[in-house]
Amino acid sequence: MITALVVVSGIVMVASALAAMHLRSLVAAIVAVGLMSLFASVLYLVLAAPDVAMTEAAIGAGLSTVIFLYALRRTRDREADDD
């Protein structure tokens, strides 16, 4: 059961990384990277590292995604003001 969960998490992580590289929408790419971090935290939890899993979920999946989305929004606002 644990092996299957590790394999599925790894496959989803690789698929999310590939999706982030090939998506044309920046918002979708940011969400894909956040999804990859979320599955990395699940993988850490399965591998008996709950402190690393909580950190990855909070920083990698949560805070980084919010910062990227905020930066993207600020960049688009600035581009709209310049036009």
Side-chain angles (χ1 to χ4, degrees), residues 36-51:
M36 184 185 71
S37 291
L38 188 63
F39 274 93
S41 67
V42 169
L43 188 61
Y44 292 138
L45 187 63
V46 169
L47 296 176
D51 51 343

Side-chain angles (χ1 to χ4, degrees), residues 52-83:
V52 178
M54 286 190 313
T55 304
E56 179 66 27
I59 304 295
L63 186 61
S64 295
T65 302
V66 169
I67 289 173
F68 286 148
L69 289 173
Y70 178 72
L72 181 64
R73 181 172 174 241
R74 295 284 297 183
T75 304
R76 287 185 178 168
D77 288 345
R78 185 169 294 165
E79 288 176 355
D81 290 343
D82 290 342
D83 290 338

Side-chain angles (χ1 to χ4, degrees), residues 1-25:
M1 177 68 181
I2 292 176
T3 303
L5 191 57
V6 168
V7 169
V8 169
S9 294
I11 290 171
V12 171
M13 287 174 57
V14 170
S16 297
L18 291 173
M21 289 190 315
H22 294 289
L23 286 171
R24 296 222 180 252
S25 169

